[in-house]
Amino acid sequence: MRFFDIGVNLSSDQFAKDRADVVSRARIAGVENMLLIGSNIEDSRHAIALANEFSLVASAGIHPHDAKSANADFCQTIQSLSSHKEVVAIGECGLDYNRDFSPRDKQREVFAAQVALANKLNKPLYMHQRDAHHDFIAIVKEAKVPGVVHCFTDSEEALEAYLELGFYIGITGWLCDERRGDALRKLLPRIPLDKLLFETDAPYLLPRNIKPKPKSRRSEPLHIEYVVEQAAELYGLPTEDVANAAFANAHHLFGLELTKCD
Ligand SMILES: [Zn+2]
């Protein structure tokens, strides 16, 4: 099977000591590509450098948590970062009213600016939304580019709205959580296979269906197969079919050439 983990925080300090091992373990497990998430300017630079080092791809942008520290010229900086060949999406950007680490008006301003930038650069959007669906929709309906709502955990109403706008849906190990993943498990089969993407959000969201249970709480991209397996079970389809669909979707969204497996 071939996997494309569309959400890895490889720049995290939790990977500081063994990044190369994490990437090679993932490759052995069939993870052929990963998108390294940039969550602010400095982190985006780091993600791009790592993507270059390991022949992966990255996003460049400002996460809502970091919106409060965006400089006046942040759009120009993201634009220049996005000229690196590794950068295939603008983000992680969006709104997070769950934690409110940045003032909401600032979150909206920084998100709207990144949507406009993605339109200008004709690059897909890599988006985050938590407890902010209505304000999120008001901004994102201006998008003229495709995108993914990553780590989707919201309601049916939100899902329908994102699909209506043509967005892809990123599914994490949240799906494998027997306590909080219940609503998502019910909704999952509503996601058309051609809009489905998988991500670990490593080092976060360790899938809870890993057997035997790993000693470390740290999630790694090699664990993506547990998320895919859980999804395939819910679709009632062979794991390989679901994995292959998501693999092709990631290439399609990020404008990457899909090579034949032999
Ligand atoms: Zn996120």
Side-chain angles (χ1 to χ4, degrees), residues 36-248:
L36 309 184
I37 302 172
S39 56
N40 57 46
I41 298 299
E42 196 196 326
D43 189 51
S44 297
R45 285 204 176 94
H46 194 181
I48 294 164
L50 291 171
N52 180 269
E53 182 180 347
F54 296 113
S55 301
L56 303 168
V57 297
S59 70
I62 299 183
H63 190 284
H65 290 344
D66 290 316
K68 60 180 179 299
S69 47
N71 292 335
D73 61 352
F74 76 91
C75 271
Q76 278 155 288
T77 311
I78 297 172
Q79 179 167 347
S80 73
L81 289 176
S82 75
S83 65
H84 288 265
K85 66 180 190 314
E86 291 81 9
V87 177
V88 297
I90 300 301
E92 180 174 352
C93 58
L95 301 176
D96 192 315
Y97 293 177
N98 180 278
R99 300 217 223 159
D100 281 322
F101 286 166
S102 292
R104 291 181 179 185
D105 57 344
K106 189 69 184 176
Q107 289 190 39
R108 288 191 291 268
E109 177 198 323
V110 171
F111 179 36
Q114 290 178 89
V115 171
L117 180 64
N119 286 340
K120 177 177 156 190
L121 301 174
N122 195 26
K123 286 235 185 217
L125 282 158
Y126 193 95
M127 296 174 285
H128 170 109
Q129 184 278 112
R130 202 64 81 229
D131 296 351
H133 170 62
H134 291 281
D135 283 0
F136 180 87
I137 281 288
I139 292 170
V140 89
K141 66 176 172 35
E142 303 301 327
K144 295 177 183 70
V145 290
V148 54
V149 181
H150 106 111
C151 192
F152 178 82
T153 55
D154 209 316
S155 64
E156 181 175 357
E157 180 200 349
L159 178 63
E160 296 299 337
Y162 304 152
L163 291 172
E164 180 98 353
L165 288 165
F167 293 136
Y168 290 79
I169 309 294
I171 297 294
T172 61
W174 191 280
L175 190 72
C176 312
D177 189 316
E178 72 282 6
R179 302 162 305 173
R180 27 176 221 180
D182 207 41
L184 182 60
R185 277 198 292 276
K186 288 200 181 86
L187 274 183
L188 184 89
R190 304 281 292 270
I191 304 171
L193 272 189
D194 65 354
K195 290 296 178 199
L196 181 68
L197 295 169
F198 291 110
E199 47 178 331
T200 55
D201 208 21
Y204 315 112
L205 298 175
L206 181 74
R208 291 171 63 88
N209 55 343
I210 300 177
K211 289 196 180 83
K213 211 173 170 151
K215 284 187 204 84
S216 167
R217 293 291 308 143
R218 186 183 77 169
S219 179
E220 289 190 20
L222 87 102
H223 295 135
I224 192 96
E225 66 173 296
Y226 290 92
V227 185
V228 180
E229 258 171 33
Q230 174 72 82
E233 198 183 308
L234 294 160
Y235 278 107
L237 289 170
T239 306
E240 191 162 7
D241 293 3
V242 175
N244 289 342
F247 187 78

Side-chain angles (χ1 to χ4, degrees), residues 12-23:
S12 164
D13 287 345
Q14 293 192 50
F15 291 125
K17 290 205 177 85
D18 62 346
R19 278 193 188 96
D21 290 341
V22 168
V23 172

Side-chain angles (χ1 to χ4, degrees), residues 4-5 8 22-23 26-27 31-36 56-58 221:
F4 193 133
D5 186 343
V8 182
V22 168
V23 172
R27 287 226 162 94
V31 184
E32 291 187 21
N33 209 343
M34 307 172 204
L35 183 143
L36 309 184
L56 303 168
V57 297

